[in-house]
Amino acid sequence: MIALSVAAVLAIFLLYTSAFGGGTPSLSPGALPGHHGRVSVVGKVTGRPTGDGHEQALRFRLRDRNGTASVPVVYRGSVPDLFKPGREVVVEGTLVDGTFVAVRDTLVTKCPSKYAPAKKT
């Protein structure tokens, strides 16, 4: 009986947090100006990234998926193997004086196969 009660409370908590909850807003580079606080930014890596994320900060630009707006990004931490120009990524951080300063170890590449149209056979 106690286990069932605990499970019910946890289920209600999960539903509440997923619906109303304190998540980090996800924005495109073009939507960043004027936004304050921590966000996730989603976009395509453009240009030639520099640095390694450890000894030297990784610096790159993120561009809107279907637009021309972009933002420079400074990131430190683990760099996914699939990170490269043209790849869509998500990273958390804050906009500081026009540069997106990422939170350590939040860089994630999106899998292109999930977003590609199905192959016709």
Side-chain angles (χ1 to χ4, degrees):
M1 183 71 166
I2 292 175
L4 186 57
S5 298
V6 170
V9 169
L10 287 174
I12 292 169
F13 173 76
L14 288 173
L15 285 171
Y16 177 81
T17 56
S18 67
F20 303 105
T24 304
S26 184
L27 303 173
S28 66
L32 280 173
H35 189 85
H36 302 286
R38 184 171 171 168
V39 298
S40 289
V41 66
V42 180
K44 286 190 178 186
V45 177
T46 61
R48 184 170 177 245
T50 61
D52 62 5
H54 298 285
E55 290 182 26
Q56 296 178 352
L58 179 66
R59 295 177 182 273
F60 58 96
R61 289 192 79 81
L62 273 186
R63 180 181 52 83
D64 285 352
R65 288 178 183 155
N66 300 315
T68 58
S70 68
V71 65
V73 177
V74 176
Y75 171 80
R76 288 192 174 275
S78 298
V79 179
D81 291 338
L82 296 176
F83 178 85
K84 65 180 182 178
R87 181 74 67 191
E88 192 166 291
V89 300
V90 180
V91 66
E92 290 186 27
T94 55
L95 190 63
V96 178
D97 296 326
T99 297
F100 191 76
V101 179
V103 174
R104 179 177 287 279
D105 294 326
T106 60
L107 179 63
V108 178
T109 56
K110 292 188 123 187
C111 179
S113 63
K114 290 183 181 178
Y115 306 100
K119 291 182 181 181
K120 295 181 182 178
T121 55

